[in-house]
């Protein structure tokens, strides 16, 4: 199957995945384009104005690019569970002069309507969605505007739903991926299905082009995903130490720390399953955190921001996929070209 990226002039099948919270920058997106590939701006957690500024910055460079949004799929938190968890993590907050017990429950949609309006008013080449499937009318409007629409799925059942909603392509995310799982049922942790197996199962289910993601960090891994049915792959963790990435200093250091031996899937930071390097916070609170996104994200965010500023890697979300050992401090274009060397 021909990749829909061919029409966009994208020759490198190794794409720079969106990484919300800072790592995905206009410079990283431009570097991906410079490697004959495609990069995604991460719209999650940004205000519409901030996202518009980044879109303008990339567009002015004359490169093909994508934008990722968090599609609304709320996981409301139980108020009692929220209060108990806030009290449990209060000592971590007090370390930075913060009062977690005073935090209110915030259940927002990340400026969903305003961001969709932005992308319809000023269309971009590609838009991908994570966490949920937008209304078919939204997908149809984006496609009518000339945008390629990619939906993230983690199972054959989700792939069928995404295909039925009108997606142009699917981002197939395996459980080995770093950061949040794109599962449509975040109250459950996705099964640890190997990426190549997941690709084959989904390829048997739908006929849409597939972009593979999750644990890809070597040329051999990329080639294997393409052989298993993907038209392209999306890599994130392996770019976290790239020169152009906006990854925080303590996160970069943790990725290179030889004493950190494992990743875990945790709800501790956001109430939604996400893979990270284990640290004090995941070890102490991973088994205590309730389901509840975005409420827990807003609860822990001040702690994480203060810890990042202080260089404290034990109280921040060290998002990382299973291939984190391959993250190297070098230009992103070199990383992406190397990963495509066995294609």
């Amino acid at each position: 199957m021909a990749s829909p990226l061919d029409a966009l002039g994208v020759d490198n099948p190794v794409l720079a995945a969106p990484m919300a919270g800072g790592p995905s920058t206009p410079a990283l997106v431009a570097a991906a384009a410079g490697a004959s590939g495609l990069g995604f701006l991460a719209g999650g957690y940004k205000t519409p104005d901030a996202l518009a500024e980044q879109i303008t910055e990339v567009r002015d460079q004359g490169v093909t690019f994508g934008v990722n949004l968090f599609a609304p799929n709320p996981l409301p938190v139980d108020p009692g569970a929220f209060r108990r968890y806030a009290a449990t993590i209060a000592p971590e907050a007090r370390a930075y002069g913060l009062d977690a017990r005073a935090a209110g429950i915030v259940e927002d949609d990340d400026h969903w309507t305003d961001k969709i309006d932005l992308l319809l008013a000023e269309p971009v080449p590609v838009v991908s969605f994570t966490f949920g499937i937008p209304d078919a009318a939204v997908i149809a409007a984006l496609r009518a505007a000339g945008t390629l629409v990619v939906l993230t799925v983690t199972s054959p059942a989700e792939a069928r739903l995404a295909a039925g909603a009108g997606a142009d392509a699917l981002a197939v995310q395996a459980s080995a991926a770093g950061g949040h799982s794109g599962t449509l049922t975040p109250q459950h942790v996705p099964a640890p299905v190997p990426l190549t197996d997941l690709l084959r199962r989904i390829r048997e289910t739908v006929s849409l082009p597939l972009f593979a993601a999750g644990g890809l960090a070597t040329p051999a891994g990329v080639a294997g995903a393409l052989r298993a049915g993907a038209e392209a792959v999306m890599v994130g963790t392996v770019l976290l130490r790239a020169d152009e990435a906006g990854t925080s200093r303590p996160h970069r250091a943790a990725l290179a720390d030889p004493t950190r031996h494992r990743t875990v899937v945790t709800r501790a930071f956001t109430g939604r399953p996400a893979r990270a390097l284990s640290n004090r916070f995941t070890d102490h609170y991973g088994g205590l955190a309730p389901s509840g996104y975005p409420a827990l994200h807003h609860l822990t965010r001040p702690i994480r921001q203060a810890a990042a500023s202080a260089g404290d890697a034990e109280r921040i979300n060290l998002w990382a996929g299973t291939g984190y050992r391959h993250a190297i401090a070098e230009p992103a274009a070199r990383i992406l070209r190397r990963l495509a060397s066995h294609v």
Side-chain angles (χ1 to χ4, degrees):
M1 179 183 297
S3 170
L5 299 174
D6 293 343
L8 297 174
V10 176
D11 298 323
N12 187 338
V14 184
L15 315 181
M19 295 177 284
S24 289
T25 63
L28 184 61
V29 171
S36 301
L38 177 82
F40 285 81
L41 292 173
Y45 306 134
K46 289 187 178 71
T47 65
D49 287 345
L51 177 58
E53 289 177 5
Q54 289 201 336
I55 289 174
T56 298
E57 184 176 345
V58 175
R59 201 192 303 274
D60 286 348
Q61 298 185 59
V63 300
T64 300
F65 65 101
V67 171
N68 174 264
L69 297 185
F70 294 160
N73 183 16
L75 183 61
V77 72
D78 175 80
F82 179 89
R83 292 297 169 205
R84 288 190 294 273
Y85 191 61
T88 299
I89 66 171
E92 311 301 335
R94 283 197 296 271
Y96 290 104
L98 302 169
D99 184 4
R101 292 175 181 265
I105 296 176
V106 177
E107 305 279 15
D108 64 2
D109 66 359
D110 200 38
H111 308 284
W112 169 252
T113 300
D114 290 341
K115 289 176 181 177
I116 291 297
D117 289 346
L118 168 66
L119 295 175
L120 289 174
E122 299 289 342
V124 301
V126 186
V127 171
S128 68
F129 295 100
T130 306
F131 295 173
I133 297 177
D135 289 343
V138 170
I139 295 172
L142 288 167
R143 294 182 69 194
T147 297
L148 182 79
V149 176
V150 182
L151 301 186
T152 303
V153 299
T154 63
S155 70
E158 293 179 356
R160 284 191 292 270
L161 291 173
D168 291 302
L170 305 180
V172 176
Q173 185 197 51
S175 64
H180 284 110
S181 168
T183 177
L184 302 184
T185 53
Q187 62 270 35
H188 306 296
V189 175
V193 179
L195 177 59
T196 52
D197 290 349
L198 184 59
L199 284 166
R200 293 188 182 100
R201 294 179 192 178
I202 290 178
R203 172 57 65 225
E204 293 171 354
T205 303
V206 299
S207 59
L208 292 175
L210 307 180
F211 301 164
L216 294 171
T218 66
V222 167
L226 296 176
R227 286 195 303 270
E231 281 70 48
V233 305
M234 302 174 75
V235 299
T237 298
V238 75
L239 293 171
L240 283 172
R241 296 180 64 207
D243 296 350
E244 300 86 351
T247 314
S248 71
R249 179 173 54 84
H251 195 170
R252 286 177 179 270
L255 289 162
D257 185 348
T259 67
R260 295 189 185 273
H261 299 298
R262 68 190 182 103
T263 63
V264 294
V265 177
T266 183
R267 299 182 189 275
F269 297 106
T270 69
R272 184 181 177 98
R275 186 174 293 278
L277 291 172
S278 63
N279 63 4
R280 169 190 167 86
F281 207 92
T282 63
D283 290 349
H284 281 67
Y285 307 111
L288 302 175
S291 295
Y293 181 90
L296 262 65
H297 158 72
H298 290 295
L299 171 65
T300 68
R301 190 175 192 179
I303 301 172
R304 292 180 281 131
Q305 289 176 329
S309 296
D312 177 3
E314 298 306 317
R315 294 184 176 94
I316 63 175
N317 48 305
L318 300 171
W319 296 152
T322 57
Y324 71 95
R325 290 292 189 200
H326 296 279
I328 299 173
E330 60 180 340
R334 185 182 303 167
I335 297 169
L336 295 170
R337 291 192 180 104
R338 181 172 61 250
L339 289 171
S341 62
H342 291 182
V343 175

